[in-house]
Amino acid sequence: MNGLDVQTLQRRLAAFAAARDWEQYHTPKNLAAALSVEASELVEIFQWLTPEQSARVMEEPETAHRVADEVADVLAYLLQFCEVLGIDALAALAEKIDRNEARFPVPKPPEPHDRHSSE
């Protein structure tokens, strides 16, 4: 890992916005909209690619850079959104995984049936 954590990144994003007097624009509504726009920009990169092409998107340096930039934009807006609303993103994710594990248990393998058994 590179020594970064969510709280450090959130503080950096908040400081960046504060230095430019942008906090006034960082309402939950605006941040949700910005998050949606950035996610759409990520989707745009993949829009007309085949599944095979999309799996290899990181092999081309220019495209890989665009993908990484859009991922960073999505994450930045998501972290700012969580900061404004007081959501612990990692705790929210862990709780969601817990709920999904309960909702969607691992299927049990079928019982083997031996047609030649005498039982």
Side-chain angles (χ1 to χ4, degrees), residues 37-90:
V37 169
E38 294 302 337
S40 294
E41 290 179 5
L42 180 60
V43 170
E44 183 181 30
I45 296 168
F46 294 88
Q47 185 173 10
W48 302 114
L49 300 181
T50 65
E52 296 78 18
Q53 289 169 323
S54 70
R56 295 188 314 270
V57 75
M58 299 305 283
E59 294 173 6
E60 183 182 326
E62 184 176 323
T63 306
H65 179 72
R66 286 181 57 215
V67 170
D69 271 357
E70 295 307 334
V71 166
D73 289 342
V74 168
L75 183 57
Y77 281 118
L78 180 60
L79 291 179
Q80 290 173 84
F81 180 83
C82 289
E83 178 73 14
V84 165
L85 292 179
I87 297 169
D88 180 330
L90 297 182

Short mmCIF file of all heavy atoms in Angstrom, two decimals, residues 37-90:
data_model
loop_
_atom_site.label_atom_id
_atom_site.label_comp_id
_atom_site.label_asym_id
_atom_site.label_seq_id
_atom_site.Cartn_x
_atom_site.Cartn_y
_atom_site.Cartn_z
N VAL A 37 -21.97 12.46 -13.04
CA VAL A 37 -21.31 12.92 -14.26
C VAL A 37 -19.97 12.22 -14.45
O VAL A 37 -19.65 11.74 -15.55
CB VAL A 37 -21.13 14.46 -14.24
CG1 VAL A 37 -20.21 14.92 -15.36
CG2 VAL A 37 -22.48 15.15 -14.31
N GLU A 38 -19.19 12.14 -13.39
CA GLU A 38 -17.87 11.50 -13.51
C GLU A 38 -18.01 10.00 -13.78
O GLU A 38 -17.23 9.44 -14.56
CB GLU A 38 -17.04 11.75 -12.25
CG GLU A 38 -16.66 13.21 -12.05
CD GLU A 38 -15.87 13.83 -13.21
OE1 GLU A 38 -15.22 13.10 -13.98
OE2 GLU A 38 -15.90 15.07 -13.32
N ALA A 39 -18.98 9.34 -13.16
CA ALA A 39 -19.21 7.92 -13.45
C ALA A 39 -19.60 7.75 -14.92
O ALA A 39 -19.16 6.79 -15.58
CB ALA A 39 -20.29 7.36 -12.53
N SER A 40 -20.38 8.68 -15.44
CA SER A 40 -20.77 8.61 -16.85
C SER A 40 -19.56 8.80 -17.76
O SER A 40 -19.47 8.18 -18.83
CB SER A 40 -21.82 9.67 -17.17
OG SER A 40 -23.01 9.39 -16.48
N GLU A 41 -18.64 9.66 -17.36
CA GLU A 41 -17.42 9.84 -18.15
C GLU A 41 -16.58 8.56 -18.16
O GLU A 41 -15.94 8.24 -19.16
CB GLU A 41 -16.62 11.04 -17.64
CG GLU A 41 -17.31 12.36 -17.94
CD GLU A 41 -16.57 13.57 -17.42
OE1 GLU A 41 -15.44 13.43 -16.89
OE2 GLU A 41 -17.13 14.68 -17.54
N LEU A 42 -16.59 7.83 -17.07
CA LEU A 42 -15.91 6.53 -17.03
C LEU A 42 -16.61 5.55 -17.97
O LEU A 42 -15.95 4.85 -18.75
CB LEU A 42 -15.88 5.99 -15.60
CG LEU A 42 -15.21 4.65 -15.38
CD1 LEU A 42 -13.74 4.67 -15.81
CD2 LEU A 42 -15.34 4.24 -13.91
N VAL A 43 -17.92 5.51 -17.92
CA VAL A 43 -18.69 4.62 -18.81
C VAL A 43 -18.41 4.97 -20.27
O VAL A 43 -18.29 4.06 -21.11
CB VAL A 43 -20.20 4.72 -18.50
CG1 VAL A 43 -21.02 4.01 -19.57
CG2 VAL A 43 -20.51 4.16 -17.14
N GLU A 44 -18.29 6.25 -20.57
CA GLU A 44 -18.07 6.69 -21.95
C GLU A 44 -16.83 6.04 -22.57
O GLU A 44 -16.82 5.70 -23.76
CB GLU A 44 -17.95 8.21 -21.99
CG GLU A 44 -17.79 8.77 -23.39
CD GLU A 44 -17.64 10.28 -23.39
OE1 GLU A 44 -17.13 10.85 -22.41
OE2 GLU A 44 -18.06 10.89 -24.39
N ILE A 45 -15.80 5.86 -21.78
CA ILE A 45 -14.57 5.24 -22.29
C ILE A 45 -14.85 3.83 -22.81
O ILE A 45 -14.28 3.39 -23.80
CB ILE A 45 -13.49 5.20 -21.18
CG1 ILE A 45 -13.10 6.63 -20.78
CG2 ILE A 45 -12.27 4.39 -21.63
CD1 ILE A 45 -12.25 6.71 -19.52
N PHE A 46 -15.76 3.12 -22.16
CA PHE A 46 -16.05 1.73 -22.49
C PHE A 46 -17.24 1.55 -23.42
O PHE A 46 -17.53 0.44 -23.85
CB PHE A 46 -16.33 0.95 -21.19
CG PHE A 46 -15.13 0.84 -20.31
CD1 PHE A 46 -14.84 1.83 -19.37
CD2 PHE A 46 -14.28 -0.25 -20.41
CE1 PHE A 46 -13.73 1.72 -18.55
CE2 PHE A 46 -13.16 -0.36 -19.60
CZ PHE A 46 -12.89 0.64 -18.67
N GLN A 47 -17.92 2.65 -23.74
CA GLN A 47 -19.22 2.59 -24.40
C GLN A 47 -19.29 1.68 -25.61
O GLN A 47 -20.21 0.87 -25.73
CB GLN A 47 -19.65 4.01 -24.80
CG GLN A 47 -21.03 4.08 -25.38
CD GLN A 47 -21.46 5.52 -25.61
OE1 GLN A 47 -20.67 6.45 -25.50
NE2 GLN A 47 -22.71 5.69 -25.93
N TRP A 48 -18.38 1.76 -26.52
CA TRP A 48 -18.47 0.98 -27.76
C TRP A 48 -17.44 -0.13 -27.84
O TRP A 48 -17.23 -0.71 -28.91
CB TRP A 48 -18.35 1.92 -28.97
CG TRP A 48 -19.40 2.97 -28.95
CD1 TRP A 48 -19.19 4.32 -28.78
CD2 TRP A 48 -20.81 2.79 -29.03
NE1 TRP A 48 -20.40 4.98 -28.78
CE2 TRP A 48 -21.41 4.06 -28.94
CE3 TRP A 48 -21.63 1.67 -29.19
CZ2 TRP A 48 -22.79 4.25 -28.98
CZ3 TRP A 48 -23.00 1.87 -29.24
CH2 TRP A 48 -23.56 3.13 -29.14
N LEU A 49 -16.81 -0.46 -26.74
CA LEU A 49 -15.82 -1.53 -26.74
C LEU A 49 -16.51 -2.88 -26.60
O LEU A 49 -17.54 -3.01 -25.93
CB LEU A 49 -14.84 -1.36 -25.57
CG LEU A 49 -14.01 -0.07 -25.55
CD1 LEU A 49 -13.09 -0.08 -24.34
CD2 LEU A 49 -13.25 0.12 -26.84
N THR A 50 -15.92 -3.87 -27.21
CA THR A 50 -16.39 -5.24 -27.00
C THR A 50 -15.95 -5.67 -25.60
O THR A 50 -15.05 -5.05 -25.00
CB THR A 50 -15.78 -6.20 -28.03
OG1 THR A 50 -14.36 -6.26 -27.81
CG2 THR A 50 -16.08 -5.77 -29.47
N PRO A 51 -16.53 -6.75 -25.07
CA PRO A 51 -16.06 -7.24 -23.77
C PRO A 51 -14.55 -7.53 -23.77
O PRO A 51 -13.86 -7.23 -22.80
CB PRO A 51 -16.88 -8.51 -23.54
CG PRO A 51 -18.14 -8.26 -24.31
CD PRO A 51 -17.72 -7.49 -25.53
N GLU A 52 -14.06 -8.06 -24.87
CA GLU A 52 -12.63 -8.38 -24.96
C GLU A 52 -11.78 -7.11 -24.94
O GLU A 52 -10.75 -7.04 -24.28
CB GLU A 52 -12.33 -9.20 -26.22
CG GLU A 52 -12.97 -10.57 -26.23
CD GLU A 52 -14.48 -10.56 -26.58
OE1 GLU A 52 -14.99 -9.55 -27.15
OE2 GLU A 52 -15.15 -11.54 -26.25
N GLN A 53 -12.22 -6.10 -25.70
CA GLN A 53 -11.49 -4.83 -25.73
C GLN A 53 -11.51 -4.16 -24.35
O GLN A 53 -10.50 -3.61 -23.91
CB GLN A 53 -12.10 -3.88 -26.77
CG GLN A 53 -11.86 -4.31 -28.20
CD GLN A 53 -12.70 -3.49 -29.18
OE1 GLN A 53 -13.85 -3.14 -28.90
NE2 GLN A 53 -12.12 -3.21 -30.35
N SER A 54 -12.65 -4.22 -23.69
CA SER A 54 -12.75 -3.57 -22.38
C SER A 54 -11.84 -4.25 -21.36
O SER A 54 -11.31 -3.58 -20.48
CB SER A 54 -14.20 -3.55 -21.89
OG SER A 54 -14.65 -4.83 -21.55
N ALA A 55 -11.64 -5.56 -21.50
CA ALA A 55 -10.76 -6.28 -20.57
C ALA A 55 -9.30 -5.88 -20.76
O ALA A 55 -8.49 -6.04 -19.85
CB ALA A 55 -10.93 -7.78 -20.75
N ARG A 56 -8.96 -5.35 -21.94
CA ARG A 56 -7.58 -4.98 -22.25
C ARG A 56 -7.36 -3.46 -22.22
O ARG A 56 -6.32 -2.98 -22.66
CB ARG A 56 -7.20 -5.52 -23.62
CG ARG A 56 -7.15 -7.03 -23.71
CD ARG A 56 -6.57 -7.52 -25.04
NE ARG A 56 -7.09 -6.83 -26.21
CZ ARG A 56 -8.18 -7.20 -26.91
NH1 ARG A 56 -8.86 -8.26 -26.55
NH2 ARG A 56 -8.58 -6.50 -27.96
N VAL A 57 -8.32 -2.70 -21.69
CA VAL A 57 -8.27 -1.24 -21.77
C VAL A 57 -7.03 -0.65 -21.11
O VAL A 57 -6.53 0.39 -21.53
CB VAL A 57 -9.57 -0.63 -21.22
CG1 VAL A 57 -9.62 -0.69 -19.72
CG2 VAL A 57 -9.75 0.79 -21.71
N MET A 58 -6.50 -1.30 -20.10
CA MET A 58 -5.34 -0.75 -19.40
C MET A 58 -4.02 -1.03 -20.11
O MET A 58 -2.96 -0.56 -19.68
CB MET A 58 -5.30 -1.29 -17.96
CG MET A 58 -6.52 -0.91 -17.13
SD MET A 58 -6.85 0.87 -17.07
CE MET A 58 -5.61 1.41 -15.90
N GLU A 59 -4.06 -1.76 -21.22
CA GLU A 59 -2.84 -2.04 -21.98
C GLU A 59 -2.36 -0.85 -22.80
O GLU A 59 -1.19 -0.76 -23.13
CB GLU A 59 -3.06 -3.26 -22.89
CG GLU A 59 -3.28 -4.55 -22.13
CD GLU A 59 -3.67 -5.71 -23.02
OE1 GLU A 59 -3.67 -5.56 -24.27
OE2 GLU A 59 -4.00 -6.78 -22.47
N GLU A 60 -3.26 0.05 -23.16
CA GLU A 60 -2.91 1.23 -23.95
C GLU A 60 -2.68 2.40 -22.98
O GLU A 60 -3.62 2.80 -22.28
CB GLU A 60 -4.02 1.57 -24.93
CG GLU A 60 -3.69 2.73 -25.83
CD GLU A 60 -4.84 3.08 -26.76
OE1 GLU A 60 -5.57 2.17 -27.19
OE2 GLU A 60 -5.00 4.29 -27.03
N PRO A 61 -1.47 2.94 -22.92
CA PRO A 61 -1.15 3.95 -21.91
C PRO A 61 -2.11 5.15 -21.89
O PRO A 61 -2.51 5.59 -20.82
CB PRO A 61 0.27 4.38 -22.27
CG PRO A 61 0.85 3.18 -22.94
CD PRO A 61 -0.29 2.56 -23.71
N GLU A 62 -2.47 5.68 -23.04
CA GLU A 62 -3.34 6.86 -23.05
C GLU A 62 -4.73 6.53 -22.49
O GLU A 62 -5.28 7.28 -21.68
CB GLU A 62 -3.48 7.42 -24.47
CG GLU A 62 -4.30 8.70 -24.50
CD GLU A 62 -4.37 9.30 -25.90
OE1 GLU A 62 -3.37 9.23 -26.63
OE2 GLU A 62 -5.44 9.85 -26.22
N THR A 63 -5.27 5.39 -22.88
CA THR A 63 -6.58 4.99 -22.37
C THR A 63 -6.49 4.64 -20.89
O THR A 63 -7.38 4.99 -20.11
CB THR A 63 -7.14 3.81 -23.17
OG1 THR A 63 -7.14 4.14 -24.56
CG2 THR A 63 -8.54 3.46 -22.75
N ALA A 64 -5.43 3.97 -20.50
CA ALA A 64 -5.23 3.61 -19.09
C ALA A 64 -5.20 4.88 -18.24
O ALA A 64 -5.80 4.93 -17.15
CB ALA A 64 -3.95 2.82 -18.92
N HIS A 65 -4.55 5.91 -18.73
CA HIS A 65 -4.47 7.18 -18.00
C HIS A 65 -5.87 7.80 -17.87
O HIS A 65 -6.23 8.30 -16.80
CB HIS A 65 -3.51 8.13 -18.72
CG HIS A 65 -3.39 9.47 -18.06
ND1 HIS A 65 -2.73 9.65 -16.87
CD2 HIS A 65 -3.87 10.69 -18.41
CE1 HIS A 65 -2.79 10.92 -16.52
NE2 HIS A 65 -3.48 11.57 -17.44
N ARG A 66 -6.65 7.76 -18.94
CA ARG A 66 -8.02 8.31 -18.89
C ARG A 66 -8.87 7.54 -17.90
O ARG A 66 -9.62 8.15 -17.12
CB ARG A 66 -8.66 8.24 -20.29
CG ARG A 66 -8.14 9.26 -21.27
CD ARG A 66 -8.83 9.17 -22.62
NE ARG A 66 -10.28 9.30 -22.51
CZ ARG A 66 -11.15 8.65 -23.29
NH1 ARG A 66 -10.73 7.82 -24.23
NH2 ARG A 66 -12.44 8.84 -23.13
N VAL A 67 -8.77 6.22 -17.91
CA VAL A 67 -9.54 5.40 -16.97
C VAL A 67 -9.15 5.74 -15.54
O VAL A 67 -10.02 5.98 -14.69
CB VAL A 67 -9.36 3.89 -17.25
CG1 VAL A 67 -9.95 3.04 -16.14
CG2 VAL A 67 -9.98 3.52 -18.60
N ALA A 68 -7.86 5.79 -15.27
CA ALA A 68 -7.39 6.10 -13.92
C ALA A 68 -7.86 7.50 -13.48
O ALA A 68 -8.26 7.69 -12.33
CB ALA A 68 -5.87 6.00 -13.85
N ASP A 69 -7.83 8.47 -14.38
CA ASP A 69 -8.29 9.82 -14.05
C ASP A 69 -9.78 9.83 -13.71
O ASP A 69 -10.20 10.49 -12.75
CB ASP A 69 -8.04 10.79 -15.21
CG ASP A 69 -6.68 11.44 -15.15
OD1 ASP A 69 -5.92 11.21 -14.19
OD2 ASP A 69 -6.37 12.20 -16.09
N GLU A 70 -10.58 9.11 -14.48
CA GLU A 70 -12.02 9.08 -14.20
C GLU A 70 -12.31 8.33 -12.90
O GLU A 70 -13.20 8.73 -12.14
CB GLU A 70 -12.80 8.49 -15.37
CG GLU A 70 -12.74 9.33 -16.64
CD GLU A 70 -13.12 10.79 -16.47
OE1 GLU A 70 -13.89 11.12 -15.54
OE2 GLU A 70 -12.65 11.61 -17.27
N VAL A 71 -11.58 7.26 -12.64
CA VAL A 71 -11.74 6.56 -11.36
C VAL A 71 -11.41 7.51 -10.22
O VAL A 71 -12.13 7.57 -9.21
CB VAL A 71 -10.85 5.29 -11.32
CG1 VAL A 71 -10.74 4.74 -9.90
CG2 VAL A 71 -11.40 4.23 -12.27
N ALA A 72 -10.34 8.29 -10.37
CA ALA A 72 -9.97 9.26 -9.33
C ALA A 72 -11.06 10.31 -9.14
O ALA A 72 -11.39 10.67 -8.01
CB ALA A 72 -8.64 9.93 -9.70
N ASP A 73 -11.65 10.78 -10.24
CA ASP A 73 -12.73 11.76 -10.13
C ASP A 73 -13.94 11.18 -9.42
O ASP A 73 -14.53 11.84 -8.55
CB ASP A 73 -13.14 12.27 -11.52
CG ASP A 73 -12.10 13.16 -12.17
OD1 ASP A 73 -11.21 13.68 -11.47
OD2 ASP A 73 -12.18 13.34 -13.41
N VAL A 74 -14.31 9.96 -9.77
CA VAL A 74 -15.45 9.30 -9.11
C VAL A 74 -15.18 9.16 -7.62
O VAL A 74 -16.02 9.49 -6.78
CB VAL A 74 -15.74 7.92 -9.76
CG1 VAL A 74 -16.72 7.10 -8.92
CG2 VAL A 74 -16.28 8.11 -11.19
N LEU A 75 -14.00 8.67 -7.29
CA LEU A 75 -13.66 8.47 -5.88
C LEU A 75 -13.60 9.80 -5.13
O LEU A 75 -14.07 9.90 -4.00
CB LEU A 75 -12.34 7.71 -5.76
CG LEU A 75 -11.90 7.36 -4.34
CD1 LEU A 75 -12.96 6.53 -3.61
CD2 LEU A 75 -10.57 6.61 -4.39
N ALA A 76 -13.06 10.83 -5.76
CA ALA A 76 -12.97 12.14 -5.10
C ALA A 76 -14.36 12.66 -4.75
O ALA A 76 -14.60 13.09 -3.61
CB ALA A 76 -12.23 13.13 -6.00
N TYR A 77 -15.27 12.60 -5.70
CA TYR A 77 -16.62 13.09 -5.41
C TYR A 77 -17.34 12.21 -4.40
O TYR A 77 -18.08 12.70 -3.55
CB TYR A 77 -17.44 13.25 -6.69
CG TYR A 77 -17.11 14.52 -7.43
CD1 TYR A 77 -16.58 14.49 -8.71
CD2 TYR A 77 -17.30 15.77 -6.82
CE1 TYR A 77 -16.27 15.67 -9.38
CE2 TYR A 77 -16.98 16.95 -7.49
CZ TYR A 77 -16.47 16.89 -8.78
OH TYR A 77 -16.16 18.05 -9.43
N LEU A 78 -17.12 10.91 -4.46
CA LEU A 78 -17.74 10.02 -3.48
C LEU A 78 -17.22 10.32 -2.08
O LEU A 78 -18.00 10.39 -1.13
CB LEU A 78 -17.49 8.55 -3.85
CG LEU A 78 -18.11 7.53 -2.90
CD1 LEU A 78 -19.63 7.68 -2.82
CD2 LEU A 78 -17.72 6.13 -3.33
N LEU A 79 -15.91 10.50 -1.94
CA LEU A 79 -15.34 10.81 -0.63
C LEU A 79 -15.83 12.17 -0.12
O LEU A 79 -16.12 12.31 1.08
CB LEU A 79 -13.82 10.77 -0.68
CG LEU A 79 -13.20 9.39 -0.89
CD1 LEU A 79 -11.68 9.50 -0.95
CD2 LEU A 79 -13.64 8.41 0.18
N GLN A 80 -15.95 13.15 -1.00
CA GLN A 80 -16.46 14.45 -0.58
C GLN A 80 -17.93 14.34 -0.16
O GLN A 80 -18.35 14.95 0.83
CB GLN A 80 -16.30 15.47 -1.70
CG GLN A 80 -14.83 15.84 -1.94
CD GLN A 80 -14.67 16.71 -3.16
OE1 GLN A 80 -14.84 17.92 -3.07
NE2 GLN A 80 -14.35 16.10 -4.29
N PHE A 81 -18.71 13.58 -0.90
CA PHE A 81 -20.11 13.35 -0.57
C PHE A 81 -20.23 12.71 0.82
O PHE A 81 -21.02 13.17 1.66
CB PHE A 81 -20.71 12.43 -1.65
CG PHE A 81 -22.16 12.09 -1.45
CD1 PHE A 81 -23.15 12.95 -1.88
CD2 PHE A 81 -22.53 10.88 -0.88
CE1 PHE A 81 -24.50 12.64 -1.72
CE2 PHE A 81 -23.86 10.56 -0.71
CZ PHE A 81 -24.85 11.44 -1.12
N CYS A 82 -19.42 11.69 1.06
CA CYS A 82 -19.43 11.03 2.37
C CYS A 82 -19.01 11.98 3.48
O CYS A 82 -19.61 11.97 4.56
CB CYS A 82 -18.53 9.79 2.35
SG CYS A 82 -19.18 8.44 1.35
N GLU A 83 -18.03 12.80 3.23
CA GLU A 83 -17.56 13.77 4.24
C GLU A 83 -18.67 14.75 4.60
O GLU A 83 -18.92 15.00 5.78
CB GLU A 83 -16.33 14.52 3.70
CG GLU A 83 -15.78 15.56 4.61
CD GLU A 83 -15.03 15.00 5.81
OE1 GLU A 83 -14.70 13.80 5.82
OE2 GLU A 83 -14.77 15.78 6.74
N VAL A 84 -19.35 15.28 3.61
CA VAL A 84 -20.41 16.27 3.85
C VAL A 84 -21.55 15.66 4.65
O VAL A 84 -22.13 16.31 5.52
CB VAL A 84 -20.91 16.84 2.50
CG1 VAL A 84 -22.22 17.59 2.65
CG2 VAL A 84 -19.85 17.76 1.89
N LEU A 85 -21.89 14.40 4.37
CA LEU A 85 -23.01 13.76 5.05
C LEU A 85 -22.61 12.96 6.29
O LEU A 85 -23.47 12.38 6.95
CB LEU A 85 -23.77 12.86 4.07
CG LEU A 85 -24.52 13.61 2.97
CD1 LEU A 85 -25.23 12.63 2.05
CD2 LEU A 85 -25.53 14.58 3.57
N GLY A 86 -21.31 12.91 6.58
CA GLY A 86 -20.85 12.18 7.76
C GLY A 86 -20.95 10.67 7.62
O GLY A 86 -21.18 9.97 8.61
N ILE A 87 -20.76 10.18 6.42
CA ILE A 87 -20.81 8.74 6.16
C ILE A 87 -19.40 8.18 6.19
O ILE A 87 -18.50 8.70 5.52
CB ILE A 87 -21.45 8.44 4.78
CG1 ILE A 87 -22.90 8.92 4.76
CG2 ILE A 87 -21.35 6.96 4.44
CD1 ILE A 87 -23.53 8.92 3.38
N ASP A 88 -19.19 7.14 6.96
CA ASP A 88 -17.92 6.41 6.95
C ASP A 88 -18.01 5.42 5.80
O ASP A 88 -18.70 4.40 5.89
CB ASP A 88 -17.73 5.69 8.28
CG ASP A 88 -16.42 4.92 8.36
OD1 ASP A 88 -15.92 4.43 7.31
OD2 ASP A 88 -15.91 4.74 9.47
N ALA A 89 -17.36 5.75 4.69
CA ALA A 89 -17.49 4.96 3.47
C ALA A 89 -17.08 3.51 3.67
O ALA A 89 -17.75 2.59 3.18
CB ALA A 89 -16.68 5.59 2.33
N LEU A 90 -15.99 3.27 4.39
CA LEU A 90 -15.53 1.90 4.58
C LEU A 90 -16.47 1.11 5.47
O LEU A 90 -16.75 -0.06 5.21
CB LEU A 90 -14.10 1.90 5.14
CG LEU A 90 -13.04 2.51 4.22
CD1 LEU A 90 -11.66 2.40 4.87
CD2 LEU A 90 -13.04 1.89 2.84
#
